[in-house]
Amino acid sequence: MFHKFSSSTDVTGQTPPKSSVQRSIRAAILSQWKIGAEALEQIWPKKESLIHIKCKNHVSIYTIHGEPLFFQQSDGPIYPTLRLLHKYPFVLPRVGIDRGAIRFLLSGANMMCPGLTSPGGYLPPPESALPAGTPVAIFAEGKEHAVAVGVTKLGTEEMRKVNKDVGVEVVAHLGDELWSQQTL
């Protein structure tokens, strides 16, 4: 999504959303992420005004004081940026990849099921299985912080059974253009 993103050419406009729109974004985040209202208040205080940055390909980036916090494509789920995920690693469910998949992930490739189901990978246990279409934080074997944000293409139990094809579609990763933009 942000492979060749440039703030000078891809940003088409910046506007502060109405307070009703900000309330709906806040409600969407609370329903999509596994956080409470108190944690969201730490991330995005109610008194702080959000800025909606419109980009090409129907991508929306939401910033506070110029720092990108969330992004969304069309009317899809709202994802945290990696910088926000490093500060608050508990906002998304986590999956893990083995060491062999790290170099592919950092070049923007989607994560295949074998990289998630191998001994170095991690999928949630069956009692907390994730359905397809769930935003997830992707952690790498032996690394402390998330290396990417993605969305599951298959449910986690289906990933274990099938063990081939794309398991998680990567939407942002370390080293992409959104990561390099500290302010917008």
Side-chain angles (χ1 to χ4, degrees), residues 13-49:
Q14 295 185 19
T15 57
K18 296 190 289 187
S19 60
S20 61
V21 173
Q22 289 190 36
R23 281 193 303 272
S24 68
I25 292 169
R26 189 177 287 274
I29 289 171
L30 286 172
S31 69
Q32 292 174 16
W33 299 0
K34 58 177 197 174
I35 62 171
E38 304 83 29
L40 183 58
E41 183 67 25
Q42 286 181 342
I43 296 169
W44 171 21
K46 282 187 179 178
K47 295 193 185 256
E48 294 292 336
S49 181

Side-chain angles (χ1 to χ4, degrees), residues 1-5 55 59-61 71 171-172 176-178:
M1 187 179 302
F2 295 104
H3 187 59
K4 292 186 178 183
F5 178 79
C55 305
V59 173
S60 297
I61 302 173
F71 62 94
V171 294
D176 69 4
E177 300 303 323
L178 183 62

